[in-house]
Amino acid sequence: MGLMKPTRLNVNAPDARCPAHAQKDHLRIPREKIGILLANLGTPDDTDYRSMRRYLGEFLSDKRVIDYPSWKWQPILQGIVLSVRPFKSGAAYRSIWNEEAGESPLMTITKQQTAAIRAALAAEYGDRVMVDFCMRYGNPSTQSKVAELTAEGCTRILFFPLYPQYAGATTATANDQFFRALMEENWQPASRTVPPYFDDPAYIEALAQSVERACAAAEHKPDMLICSYHGLPQRYVTEGGDPYHCQCQKTTRLLKERLGWTDSQIMTTFQSKFGPEEWLQPYTVEEVARQAEKGNKRIAICAPAFSADCIETLEEINEEIRESFEHAGGEEFLYIPCLNADPLHIKALVGQIRTNLAGWT
């Protein structure tokens, strides 16, 4: 490992000053603040081949995501996957791209969430708290944002992975990257990470109200609500002890109880299978077809594991999975958007931040 980079304090910040009783030549130091760093999965910078290859290369090289030995996986990734998949993924991203802003919907929504949380916390804590966001893969990087917060005088940082349910491939790898970023700082801030919040009543309430609004606005009430979560290889749970599957099941149960529905009206499925291994089941793309064949011609589908709409919801669910349902005879497919910057969602996230700031403010 190389030498640590010195922490570059912003000595020209408006609130920078020399500490009391310091020598005259002491550096000006920004006033101490608390940083809130929100973290999401990531997004390519553009939809062209090179941007997609760079993004997918970083994502699919993460040992938390694909844990095969490098000698076995990297030749496949570099020689086959990254030669073909960037074209397919680029086309998928182009179908949902925010052309006006020149960015992916995930980026747009994460900016909206950050702005809403920043406004809520400013009303409560003033300028003592800074709020920003980073991406695990792509830009803005976790390392760059940790460096910016420390430069602005954040001596404490609360790191918040925006994943309601914990998984090694989501929450843990985001935390890994945060800790790596801290290793680059000579003057490290004190740090905390926000734990999963899948059973937070405020989060469940936000989910429930989003379902109720969508169903009330639909022409007909759906026969079935499918809660589609991002999948994981089955062995990550059975051999690795990952709690993700249990937390997804509990999320669905709590949502069912809050809605007052029966077991036959709601179920848990998993999407985004990658590679030849067995993943958590049932697979969403197959289950929607089974439901149509069983006579449930009207279904609603939500994605409780995603805090913001992204390629997996806007393209995979609303296009690929919808097509599977309709091809099997389904008639009405209702996609319920992620919670995004909904006020109840922001309220739940701010509540988590407030809880985890205890003793710091």
PDB file of all heavy atoms in Angstrom, residues 37-41 106 109-111 113-114 117 132-135 159-165 170-171 174 194-195 197 304-308 340 345 349 352-353:
ATOM      1  N   LEU A  37     -23.246  11.103   4.198  1.00  0.00           N
ATOM      2  CA  LEU A  37     -22.911  10.657   2.849  1.00  0.00           C
ATOM      3  C   LEU A  37     -23.832   9.514   2.445  1.00  0.00           C
ATOM      4  O   LEU A  37     -23.733   8.400   2.954  1.00  0.00           O
ATOM      5  CB  LEU A  37     -21.448  10.216   2.777  1.00  0.00           C
ATOM      6  CG  LEU A  37     -20.922   9.889   1.377  1.00  0.00           C
ATOM      7  CD1 LEU A  37     -21.127  11.060   0.419  1.00  0.00           C
ATOM      8  CD2 LEU A  37     -19.442   9.508   1.445  1.00  0.00           C
ATOM      9  N   LEU A  38     -24.769   9.811   1.554  1.00  0.00           N
ATOM     10  CA  LEU A  38     -25.681   8.808   1.028  1.00  0.00           C
ATOM     11  C   LEU A  38     -24.961   8.019  -0.060  1.00  0.00           C
ATOM     12  O   LEU A  38     -24.176   8.586  -0.828  1.00  0.00           O
ATOM     13  CB  LEU A  38     -26.924   9.484   0.432  1.00  0.00           C
ATOM     14  CG  LEU A  38     -27.624  10.526   1.306  1.00  0.00           C
ATOM     15  CD1 LEU A  38     -28.722  11.231   0.512  1.00  0.00           C
ATOM     16  CD2 LEU A  38     -28.201   9.878   2.555  1.00  0.00           C
ATOM     17  N   ALA A  39     -25.237   6.727  -0.152  1.00  0.00           N
ATOM     18  CA  ALA A  39     -24.547   5.902  -1.143  1.00  0.00           C
ATOM     19  C   ALA A  39     -25.541   5.043  -1.901  1.00  0.00           C
ATOM     20  O   ALA A  39     -26.386   4.371  -1.301  1.00  0.00           O
ATOM     21  CB  ALA A  39     -23.510   5.010  -0.457  1.00  0.00           C
ATOM     22  N   ASN A  40     -25.433   5.062  -3.219  1.00  0.00           N
ATOM     23  CA  ASN A  40     -26.249   4.180  -4.047  1.00  0.00           C
ATOM     24  C   ASN A  40     -25.346   3.320  -4.912  1.00  0.00           C
ATOM     25  O   ASN A  40     -24.117   3.472  -4.889  1.00  0.00           O
ATOM     26  CB  ASN A  40     -27.244   4.988  -4.895  1.00  0.00           C
ATOM     27  CG  ASN A  40     -28.591   4.284  -5.005  1.00  0.00           C
ATOM     28  OD1 ASN A  40     -28.655   3.069  -5.112  1.00  0.00           O
ATOM     29  ND2 ASN A  40     -29.665   5.052  -4.953  1.00  0.00           N
ATOM     30  N   LEU A  41     -25.944   2.429  -5.688  1.00  0.00           N
ATOM     31  CA  LEU A  41     -25.182   1.431  -6.432  1.00  0.00           C
ATOM     32  C   LEU A  41     -24.234   2.064  -7.441  1.00  0.00           C
ATOM     33  O   LEU A  41     -23.033   1.814  -7.450  1.00  0.00           O
ATOM     34  CB  LEU A  41     -26.126   0.473  -7.158  1.00  0.00           C
ATOM     35  CG  LEU A  41     -25.444  -0.600  -7.992  1.00  0.00           C
ATOM     36  CD1 LEU A  41     -24.843  -1.661  -7.080  1.00  0.00           C
ATOM     37  CD2 LEU A  41     -26.417  -1.237  -8.958  1.00  0.00           C
ATOM     38  N   LEU A 106     -31.374   6.926 -12.178  1.00  0.00           N
ATOM     39  CA  LEU A 106     -30.859   6.719 -10.824  1.00  0.00           C
ATOM     40  C   LEU A 106     -30.095   7.953 -10.345  1.00  0.00           C
ATOM     41  O   LEU A 106     -30.219   8.365  -9.183  1.00  0.00           O
ATOM     42  CB  LEU A 106     -29.953   5.490 -10.780  1.00  0.00           C
ATOM     43  CG  LEU A 106     -29.286   5.213  -9.430  1.00  0.00           C
ATOM     44  CD1 LEU A 106     -30.322   4.852  -8.378  1.00  0.00           C
ATOM     45  CD2 LEU A 106     -28.247   4.105  -9.553  1.00  0.00           C
ATOM     46  N   ILE A 109     -32.678  10.818  -9.650  1.00  0.00           N
ATOM     47  CA  ILE A 109     -33.457  10.596  -8.430  1.00  0.00           C
ATOM     48  C   ILE A 109     -32.586  10.729  -7.189  1.00  0.00           C
ATOM     49  O   ILE A 109     -33.006  11.301  -6.176  1.00  0.00           O
ATOM     50  CB  ILE A 109     -34.143   9.219  -8.484  1.00  0.00           C
ATOM     51  CG1 ILE A 109     -35.186   9.193  -9.608  1.00  0.00           C
ATOM     52  CG2 ILE A 109     -34.793   8.881  -7.143  1.00  0.00           C
ATOM     53  CD1 ILE A 109     -35.663   7.810  -9.978  1.00  0.00           C
ATOM     54  N   THR A 110     -31.356  10.215  -7.245  1.00  0.00           N
ATOM     55  CA  THR A 110     -30.465  10.329  -6.090  1.00  0.00           C
ATOM     56  C   THR A 110     -30.172  11.796  -5.781  1.00  0.00           C
ATOM     57  O   THR A 110     -30.098  12.188  -4.614  1.00  0.00           O
ATOM     58  CB  THR A 110     -29.154   9.557  -6.329  1.00  0.00           C
ATOM     59  OG1 THR A 110     -29.458   8.190  -6.637  1.00  0.00           O
ATOM     60  CG2 THR A 110     -28.272   9.586  -5.094  1.00  0.00           C
ATOM     61  N   LYS A 111     -30.023  12.614  -6.801  1.00  0.00           N
ATOM     62  CA  LYS A 111     -29.842  14.056  -6.593  1.00  0.00           C
ATOM     63  C   LYS A 111     -31.066  14.666  -5.918  1.00  0.00           C
ATOM     64  O   LYS A 111     -30.941  15.507  -5.012  1.00  0.00           O
ATOM     65  CB  LYS A 111     -29.579  14.752  -7.928  1.00  0.00           C
ATOM     66  CG  LYS A 111     -28.221  14.484  -8.527  1.00  0.00           C
ATOM     67  CD  LYS A 111     -28.076  15.193  -9.869  1.00  0.00           C
ATOM     68  CE  LYS A 111     -26.703  14.973 -10.483  1.00  0.00           C
ATOM     69  NZ  LYS A 111     -26.579  15.627 -11.813  1.00  0.00           N
ATOM     70  N   GLN A 113     -33.274  13.075  -3.992  1.00  0.00           N
ATOM     71  CA  GLN A 113     -33.305  12.598  -2.609  1.00  0.00           C
ATOM     72  C   GLN A 113     -32.318  13.382  -1.744  1.00  0.00           C
ATOM     73  O   GLN A 113     -32.631  13.777  -0.620  1.00  0.00           O
ATOM     74  CB  GLN A 113     -32.966  11.107  -2.571  1.00  0.00           C
ATOM     75  CG  GLN A 113     -34.012  10.205  -3.199  1.00  0.00           C
ATOM     76  CD  GLN A 113     -33.526   8.767  -3.334  1.00  0.00           C
ATOM     77  OE1 GLN A 113     -32.334   8.519  -3.543  1.00  0.00           O
ATOM     78  NE2 GLN A 113     -34.433   7.823  -3.203  1.00  0.00           N
ATOM     79  N   THR A 114     -31.120  13.592  -2.266  1.00  0.00           N
ATOM     80  CA  THR A 114     -30.094  14.311  -1.515  1.00  0.00           C
ATOM     81  C   THR A 114     -30.547  15.734  -1.212  1.00  0.00           C
ATOM     82  O   THR A 114     -30.387  16.223  -0.081  1.00  0.00           O
ATOM     83  CB  THR A 114     -28.777  14.328  -2.307  1.00  0.00           C
ATOM     84  OG1 THR A 114     -28.376  12.983  -2.588  1.00  0.00           O
ATOM     85  CG2 THR A 114     -27.676  15.033  -1.532  1.00  0.00           C
ATOM     86  N   ILE A 117     -33.289  15.641   1.518  1.00  0.00           N
ATOM     87  CA  ILE A 117     -32.734  15.326   2.829  1.00  0.00           C
ATOM     88  C   ILE A 117     -31.902  16.498   3.351  1.00  0.00           C
ATOM     89  O   ILE A 117     -31.964  16.842   4.534  1.00  0.00           O
ATOM     90  CB  ILE A 117     -31.896  14.031   2.759  1.00  0.00           C
ATOM     91  CG1 ILE A 117     -32.825  12.830   2.508  1.00  0.00           C
ATOM     92  CG2 ILE A 117     -31.087  13.830   4.034  1.00  0.00           C
ATOM     93  CD1 ILE A 117     -32.095  11.537   2.203  1.00  0.00           C
ATOM     94  N   ASP A 132     -24.335  14.932   1.208  1.00  0.00           N
ATOM     95  CA  ASP A 132     -23.908  14.695  -0.166  1.00  0.00           C
ATOM     96  C   ASP A 132     -24.158  13.227  -0.499  1.00  0.00           C
ATOM     97  O   ASP A 132     -24.608  12.454   0.360  1.00  0.00           O
ATOM     98  CB  ASP A 132     -22.434  15.048  -0.340  1.00  0.00           C
ATOM     99  CG  ASP A 132     -22.114  15.547  -1.747  1.00  0.00           C
ATOM    100  OD1 ASP A 132     -22.850  15.179  -2.687  1.00  0.00           O
ATOM    101  OD2 ASP A 132     -21.136  16.301  -1.897  1.00  0.00           O
ATOM    102  N   PHE A 133     -23.871  12.843  -1.737  1.00  0.00           N
ATOM    103  CA  PHE A 133     -24.074  11.446  -2.128  1.00  0.00           C
ATOM    104  C   PHE A 133     -22.885  10.963  -2.945  1.00  0.00           C
ATOM    105  O   PHE A 133     -22.120  11.748  -3.519  1.00  0.00           O
ATOM    106  CB  PHE A 133     -25.373  11.287  -2.937  1.00  0.00           C
ATOM    107  CG  PHE A 133     -25.279  11.788  -4.355  1.00  0.00           C
ATOM    108  CD1 PHE A 133     -24.940  10.929  -5.397  1.00  0.00           C
ATOM    109  CD2 PHE A 133     -25.527  13.117  -4.656  1.00  0.00           C
ATOM    110  CE1 PHE A 133     -24.841  11.384  -6.704  1.00  0.00           C
ATOM    111  CE2 PHE A 133     -25.436  13.587  -5.957  1.00  0.00           C
ATOM    112  CZ  PHE A 133     -25.085  12.724  -6.989  1.00  0.00           C
ATOM    113  N   CYS A 134     -22.747   9.637  -2.997  1.00  0.00           N
ATOM    114  CA  CYS A 134     -21.713   9.006  -3.808  1.00  0.00           C
ATOM    115  C   CYS A 134     -22.276   7.729  -4.400  1.00  0.00           C
ATOM    116  O   CYS A 134     -23.374   7.288  -4.043  1.00  0.00           O
ATOM    117  CB  CYS A 134     -20.474   8.699  -2.968  1.00  0.00           C
ATOM    118  SG  CYS A 134     -20.768   7.484  -1.649  1.00  0.00           S
ATOM    119  N   MET A 135     -21.523   7.152  -5.327  1.00  0.00           N
ATOM    120  CA  MET A 135     -21.899   5.890  -5.946  1.00  0.00           C
ATOM    121  C   MET A 135     -20.821   4.849  -5.681  1.00  0.00           C
ATOM    122  O   MET A 135     -19.628   5.176  -5.666  1.00  0.00           O
ATOM    123  CB  MET A 135     -22.082   6.069  -7.460  1.00  0.00           C
ATOM    124  CG  MET A 135     -23.179   7.046  -7.855  1.00  0.00           C
ATOM    125  SD  MET A 135     -24.831   6.439  -7.393  1.00  0.00           S
ATOM    126  CE  MET A 135     -25.867   7.753  -8.070  1.00  0.00           C
ATOM    127  N   PHE A 159     -22.260   7.422   7.177  1.00  0.00           N
ATOM    128  CA  PHE A 159     -22.347   6.819   5.840  1.00  0.00           C
ATOM    129  C   PHE A 159     -23.632   6.016   5.739  1.00  0.00           C
ATOM    130  O   PHE A 159     -23.883   5.141   6.564  1.00  0.00           O
ATOM    131  CB  PHE A 159     -21.130   5.928   5.599  1.00  0.00           C
ATOM    132  CG  PHE A 159     -21.046   5.369   4.208  1.00  0.00           C
ATOM    133  CD1 PHE A 159     -20.762   6.200   3.134  1.00  0.00           C
ATOM    134  CD2 PHE A 159     -21.244   4.019   3.973  1.00  0.00           C
ATOM    135  CE1 PHE A 159     -20.664   5.685   1.846  1.00  0.00           C
ATOM    136  CE2 PHE A 159     -21.152   3.500   2.697  1.00  0.00           C
ATOM    137  CZ  PHE A 159     -20.857   4.333   1.620  1.00  0.00           C
ATOM    138  N   PHE A 160     -24.438   6.305   4.719  1.00  0.00           N
ATOM    139  CA  PHE A 160     -25.786   5.739   4.623  1.00  0.00           C
ATOM    140  C   PHE A 160     -25.979   5.018   3.291  1.00  0.00           C
ATOM    141  O   PHE A 160     -26.365   5.616   2.297  1.00  0.00           O
ATOM    142  CB  PHE A 160     -26.810   6.863   4.767  1.00  0.00           C
ATOM    143  CG  PHE A 160     -28.233   6.415   4.986  1.00  0.00           C
ATOM    144  CD1 PHE A 160     -29.216   7.332   5.311  1.00  0.00           C
ATOM    145  CD2 PHE A 160     -28.611   5.087   4.881  1.00  0.00           C
ATOM    146  CE1 PHE A 160     -30.531   6.946   5.518  1.00  0.00           C
ATOM    147  CE2 PHE A 160     -29.922   4.672   5.092  1.00  0.00           C
ATOM    148  CZ  PHE A 160     -30.880   5.609   5.406  1.00  0.00           C
ATOM    149  N   PRO A 161     -25.736   3.682   3.237  1.00  0.00           N
ATOM    150  CA  PRO A 161     -26.049   2.916   2.035  1.00  0.00           C
ATOM    151  C   PRO A 161     -27.577   2.843   1.871  1.00  0.00           C
ATOM    152  O   PRO A 161     -28.277   2.405   2.789  1.00  0.00           O
ATOM    153  CB  PRO A 161     -25.464   1.529   2.320  1.00  0.00           C
ATOM    154  CG  PRO A 161     -24.541   1.723   3.490  1.00  0.00           C
ATOM    155  CD  PRO A 161     -25.130   2.850   4.285  1.00  0.00           C
ATOM    156  N   LEU A 162     -28.081   3.247   0.715  1.00  0.00           N
ATOM    157  CA  LEU A 162     -29.530   3.335   0.528  1.00  0.00           C
ATOM    158  C   LEU A 162     -30.130   1.994   0.113  1.00  0.00           C
ATOM    159  O   LEU A 162     -30.784   1.867  -0.927  1.00  0.00           O
ATOM    160  CB  LEU A 162     -29.850   4.427  -0.502  1.00  0.00           C
ATOM    161  CG  LEU A 162     -29.519   5.856  -0.057  1.00  0.00           C
ATOM    162  CD1 LEU A 162     -29.788   6.838  -1.194  1.00  0.00           C
ATOM    163  CD2 LEU A 162     -30.320   6.239   1.183  1.00  0.00           C
ATOM    164  N   TYR A 163     -29.906   0.984   0.940  1.00  0.00           N
ATOM    165  CA  TYR A 163     -30.461  -0.352   0.725  1.00  0.00           C
ATOM    166  C   TYR A 163     -31.245  -0.751   1.967  1.00  0.00           C
ATOM    167  O   TYR A 163     -30.644  -0.963   3.030  1.00  0.00           O
ATOM    168  CB  TYR A 163     -29.351  -1.379   0.482  1.00  0.00           C
ATOM    169  CG  TYR A 163     -28.410  -1.015  -0.640  1.00  0.00           C
ATOM    170  CD1 TYR A 163     -27.106  -0.601  -0.365  1.00  0.00           C
ATOM    171  CD2 TYR A 163     -28.816  -1.085  -1.966  1.00  0.00           C
ATOM    172  CE1 TYR A 163     -26.226  -0.266  -1.377  1.00  0.00           C
ATOM    173  CE2 TYR A 163     -27.952  -0.748  -2.995  1.00  0.00           C
ATOM    174  CZ  TYR A 163     -26.657  -0.342  -2.692  1.00  0.00           C
ATOM    175  OH  TYR A 163     -25.794  -0.005  -3.701  1.00  0.00           O
ATOM    176  N   PRO A 164     -32.564  -0.872   1.884  1.00  0.00           N
ATOM    177  CA  PRO A 164     -33.351  -1.227   3.078  1.00  0.00           C
ATOM    178  C   PRO A 164     -32.944  -2.577   3.668  1.00  0.00           C
ATOM    179  O   PRO A 164     -32.881  -2.734   4.890  1.00  0.00           O
ATOM    180  CB  PRO A 164     -34.797  -1.267   2.550  1.00  0.00           C
ATOM    181  CG  PRO A 164     -34.774  -0.404   1.328  1.00  0.00           C
ATOM    182  CD  PRO A 164     -33.421  -0.595   0.716  1.00  0.00           C
ATOM    183  N   GLN A 165     -32.676  -3.562   2.791  1.00  0.00           N
ATOM    184  CA  GLN A 165     -32.285  -4.894   3.249  1.00  0.00           C
ATOM    185  C   GLN A 165     -30.767  -5.053   3.086  1.00  0.00           C
ATOM    186  O   GLN A 165     -30.194  -4.623   2.092  1.00  0.00           O
ATOM    187  CB  GLN A 165     -33.002  -5.986   2.440  1.00  0.00           C
ATOM    188  CG  GLN A 165     -34.521  -5.954   2.545  1.00  0.00           C
ATOM    189  CD  GLN A 165     -35.150  -4.924   1.614  1.00  0.00           C
ATOM    190  OE1 GLN A 165     -34.526  -4.454   0.672  1.00  0.00           O
ATOM    191  NE2 GLN A 165     -36.399  -4.577   1.875  1.00  0.00           N
ATOM    192  N   THR A 170     -24.446  -5.504  -1.673  1.00  0.00           N
ATOM    193  CA  THR A 170     -24.950  -4.123  -1.752  1.00  0.00           C
ATOM    194  C   THR A 170     -24.424  -3.310  -0.566  1.00  0.00           C
ATOM    195  O   THR A 170     -23.492  -2.530  -0.698  1.00  0.00           O
ATOM    196  CB  THR A 170     -26.488  -4.098  -1.788  1.00  0.00           C
ATOM    197  OG1 THR A 170     -27.018  -4.840  -0.666  1.00  0.00           O
ATOM    198  CG2 THR A 170     -27.009  -4.702  -3.079  1.00  0.00           C
ATOM    199  N   THR A 171     -24.998  -3.521   0.609  1.00  0.00           N
ATOM    200  CA  THR A 171     -24.603  -2.757   1.791  1.00  0.00           C
ATOM    201  C   THR A 171     -23.122  -2.944   2.123  1.00  0.00           C
ATOM    202  O   THR A 171     -22.395  -1.971   2.351  1.00  0.00           O
ATOM    203  CB  THR A 171     -25.451  -3.175   3.002  1.00  0.00           C
ATOM    204  OG1 THR A 171     -26.829  -3.125   2.652  1.00  0.00           O
ATOM    205  CG2 THR A 171     -25.185  -2.280   4.188  1.00  0.00           C
ATOM    206  N   ALA A 174     -20.630  -1.353  -0.318  1.00  0.00           N
ATOM    207  CA  ALA A 174     -20.645   0.111  -0.171  1.00  0.00           C
ATOM    208  C   ALA A 174     -19.832   0.519   1.052  1.00  0.00           C
ATOM    209  O   ALA A 174     -19.034   1.466   1.000  1.00  0.00           O
ATOM    210  CB  ALA A 174     -22.080   0.609  -0.056  1.00  0.00           C
ATOM    211  N   VAL A 194     -25.011   3.435   8.639  1.00  0.00           N
ATOM    212  CA  VAL A 194     -26.424   3.211   8.962  1.00  0.00           C
ATOM    213  C   VAL A 194     -26.769   1.752   8.671  1.00  0.00           C
ATOM    214  O   VAL A 194     -26.494   1.257   7.575  1.00  0.00           O
ATOM    215  CB  VAL A 194     -27.332   4.147   8.139  1.00  0.00           C
ATOM    216  CG1 VAL A 194     -28.806   3.855   8.416  1.00  0.00           C
ATOM    217  CG2 VAL A 194     -27.011   5.607   8.462  1.00  0.00           C
ATOM    218  N   PRO A 195     -27.365   1.048   9.617  1.00  0.00           N
ATOM    219  CA  PRO A 195     -27.723  -0.355   9.401  1.00  0.00           C
ATOM    220  C   PRO A 195     -28.953  -0.486   8.510  1.00  0.00           C
ATOM    221  O   PRO A 195     -29.614   0.516   8.209  1.00  0.00           O
ATOM    222  CB  PRO A 195     -28.011  -0.868  10.817  1.00  0.00           C
ATOM    223  CG  PRO A 195     -28.477   0.341  11.562  1.00  0.00           C
ATOM    224  CD  PRO A 195     -27.692   1.500  10.991  1.00  0.00           C
ATOM    225  N   TYR A 197     -32.730  -0.978   7.237  1.00  0.00           N
ATOM    226  CA  TYR A 197     -33.932  -0.398   7.842  1.00  0.00           C
ATOM    227  C   TYR A 197     -35.205  -1.032   7.287  1.00  0.00           C
ATOM    228  O   TYR A 197     -36.254  -0.396   7.225  1.00  0.00           O
ATOM    229  CB  TYR A 197     -33.945   1.121   7.628  1.00  0.00           C
ATOM    230  CG  TYR A 197     -33.765   1.567   6.186  1.00  0.00           C
ATOM    231  CD1 TYR A 197     -34.857   1.889   5.383  1.00  0.00           C
ATOM    232  CD2 TYR A 197     -32.492   1.673   5.636  1.00  0.00           C
ATOM    233  CE1 TYR A 197     -34.700   2.300   4.068  1.00  0.00           C
ATOM    234  CE2 TYR A 197     -32.324   2.081   4.322  1.00  0.00           C
ATOM    235  CZ  TYR A 197     -33.422   2.396   3.542  1.00  0.00           C
ATOM    236  OH  TYR A 197     -33.246   2.799   2.241  1.00  0.00           O
ATOM    237  N   PRO A 304     -39.301  -3.345  -3.456  1.00  0.00           N
ATOM    238  CA  PRO A 304     -38.961  -2.765  -2.143  1.00  0.00           C
ATOM    239  C   PRO A 304     -37.473  -2.687  -1.814  1.00  0.00           C
ATOM    240  O   PRO A 304     -37.086  -2.000  -0.874  1.00  0.00           O
ATOM    241  CB  PRO A 304     -39.677  -3.704  -1.158  1.00  0.00           C
ATOM    242  CG  PRO A 304     -40.717  -4.404  -1.969  1.00  0.00           C
ATOM    243  CD  PRO A 304     -40.125  -4.545  -3.319  1.00  0.00           C
ATOM    244  N   ALA A 305     -36.624  -3.399  -2.566  1.00  0.00           N
ATOM    245  CA  ALA A 305     -35.186  -3.372  -2.270  1.00  0.00           C
ATOM    246  C   ALA A 305     -34.480  -2.194  -2.919  1.00  0.00           C
ATOM    247  O   ALA A 305     -33.326  -1.918  -2.611  1.00  0.00           O
ATOM    248  CB  ALA A 305     -34.531  -4.676  -2.730  1.00  0.00           C
ATOM    249  N   PHE A 306     -35.164  -1.504  -3.815  1.00  0.00           N
ATOM    250  CA  PHE A 306     -34.561  -0.382  -4.526  1.00  0.00           C
ATOM    251  C   PHE A 306     -35.082   0.924  -3.950  1.00  0.00           C
ATOM    252  O   PHE A 306     -36.292   1.160  -3.919  1.00  0.00           O
ATOM    253  CB  PHE A 306     -34.893  -0.453  -6.019  1.00  0.00           C
ATOM    254  CG  PHE A 306     -34.377  -1.692  -6.704  1.00  0.00           C
ATOM    255  CD1 PHE A 306     -35.157  -2.844  -6.789  1.00  0.00           C
ATOM    256  CD2 PHE A 306     -33.106  -1.713  -7.258  1.00  0.00           C
ATOM    257  CE1 PHE A 306     -34.689  -3.981  -7.425  1.00  0.00           C
ATOM    258  CE2 PHE A 306     -32.631  -2.851  -7.896  1.00  0.00           C
ATOM    259  CZ  PHE A 306     -33.418  -3.992  -7.984  1.00  0.00           C
ATOM    260  N   SER A 307     -34.183   1.792  -3.529  1.00  0.00           N
ATOM    261  CA  SER A 307     -34.609   3.080  -2.979  1.00  0.00           C
ATOM    262  C   SER A 307     -34.919   4.080  -4.077  1.00  0.00           C
ATOM    263  O   SER A 307     -35.550   5.108  -3.834  1.00  0.00           O
ATOM    264  CB  SER A 307     -33.518   3.650  -2.065  1.00  0.00           C
ATOM    265  OG  SER A 307     -32.342   3.911  -2.806  1.00  0.00           O
ATOM    266  N   ALA A 308     -34.480   3.782  -5.301  1.00  0.00           N
ATOM    267  CA  ALA A 308     -34.711   4.680  -6.432  1.00  0.00           C
ATOM    268  C   ALA A 308     -34.876   3.853  -7.699  1.00  0.00           C
ATOM    269  O   ALA A 308     -34.231   2.815  -7.872  1.00  0.00           O
ATOM    270  CB  ALA A 308     -33.545   5.651  -6.591  1.00  0.00           C
ATOM    271  N   ASN A 340     -38.382   6.591  -4.313  1.00  0.00           N
ATOM    272  CA  ASN A 340     -37.714   7.764  -4.882  1.00  0.00           C
ATOM    273  C   ASN A 340     -37.670   8.936  -3.898  1.00  0.00           C
ATOM    274  O   ASN A 340     -37.255   8.773  -2.762  1.00  0.00           O
ATOM    275  CB  ASN A 340     -38.377   8.139  -6.208  1.00  0.00           C
ATOM    276  CG  ASN A 340     -38.247   7.026  -7.242  1.00  0.00           C
ATOM    277  OD1 ASN A 340     -37.249   6.320  -7.267  1.00  0.00           O
ATOM    278  ND2 ASN A 340     -39.249   6.865  -8.105  1.00  0.00           N
ATOM    279  N   HIS A 345     -40.996   8.798   2.027  1.00  0.00           N
ATOM    280  CA  HIS A 345     -39.704   8.118   1.953  1.00  0.00           C
ATOM    281  C   HIS A 345     -38.605   9.003   2.541  1.00  0.00           C
ATOM    282  O   HIS A 345     -37.772   8.544   3.329  1.00  0.00           O
ATOM    283  CB  HIS A 345     -39.381   7.775   0.496  1.00  0.00           C
ATOM    284  CG  HIS A 345     -38.183   6.920   0.332  1.00  0.00           C
ATOM    285  ND1 HIS A 345     -37.350   6.985  -0.767  1.00  0.00           N
ATOM    286  CD2 HIS A 345     -37.646   5.948   1.130  1.00  0.00           C
ATOM    287  CE1 HIS A 345     -36.381   6.109  -0.644  1.00  0.00           C
ATOM    288  NE2 HIS A 345     -36.532   5.463   0.494  1.00  0.00           N
ATOM    289  N   LEU A 349     -36.099   8.222   5.670  1.00  0.00           N
ATOM    290  CA  LEU A 349     -34.644   8.293   5.584  1.00  0.00           C
ATOM    291  C   LEU A 349     -34.081   9.309   6.583  1.00  0.00           C
ATOM    292  O   LEU A 349     -33.072   9.043   7.243  1.00  0.00           O
ATOM    293  CB  LEU A 349     -34.218   8.656   4.161  1.00  0.00           C
ATOM    294  CG  LEU A 349     -34.589   7.643   3.061  1.00  0.00           C
ATOM    295  CD1 LEU A 349     -34.139   8.160   1.696  1.00  0.00           C
ATOM    296  CD2 LEU A 349     -33.992   6.278   3.342  1.00  0.00           C
ATOM    297  N   GLN A 352     -34.012   7.772   9.965  1.00  0.00           N
ATOM    298  CA  GLN A 352     -32.852   6.899  10.151  1.00  0.00           C
ATOM    299  C   GLN A 352     -31.589   7.708  10.434  1.00  0.00           C
ATOM    300  O   GLN A 352     -30.781   7.362  11.294  1.00  0.00           O
ATOM    301  CB  GLN A 352     -32.646   6.040   8.897  1.00  0.00           C
ATOM    302  CG  GLN A 352     -33.640   4.910   8.736  1.00  0.00           C
ATOM    303  CD  GLN A 352     -33.506   3.866   9.819  1.00  0.00           C
ATOM    304  OE1 GLN A 352     -32.402   3.429  10.148  1.00  0.00           O
ATOM    305  NE2 GLN A 352     -34.622   3.462  10.393  1.00  0.00           N
ATOM    306  N   ILE A 353     -31.427   8.797   9.708  1.00  0.00           N
ATOM    307  CA  ILE A 353     -30.258   9.653   9.926  1.00  0.00           C
ATOM    308  C   ILE A 353     -30.283  10.244  11.334  1.00  0.00           C
ATOM    309  O   ILE A 353     -29.277  10.228  12.058  1.00  0.00           O
ATOM    310  CB  ILE A 353     -30.221  10.770   8.862  1.00  0.00           C
ATOM    311  CG1 ILE A 353     -29.908  10.168   7.491  1.00  0.00           C
ATOM    312  CG2 ILE A 353     -29.197  11.842   9.233  1.00  0.00           C
ATOM    313  CD1 ILE A 353     -30.094  11.123   6.338  1.00  0.00           C
TER     314      ILE A 353
END
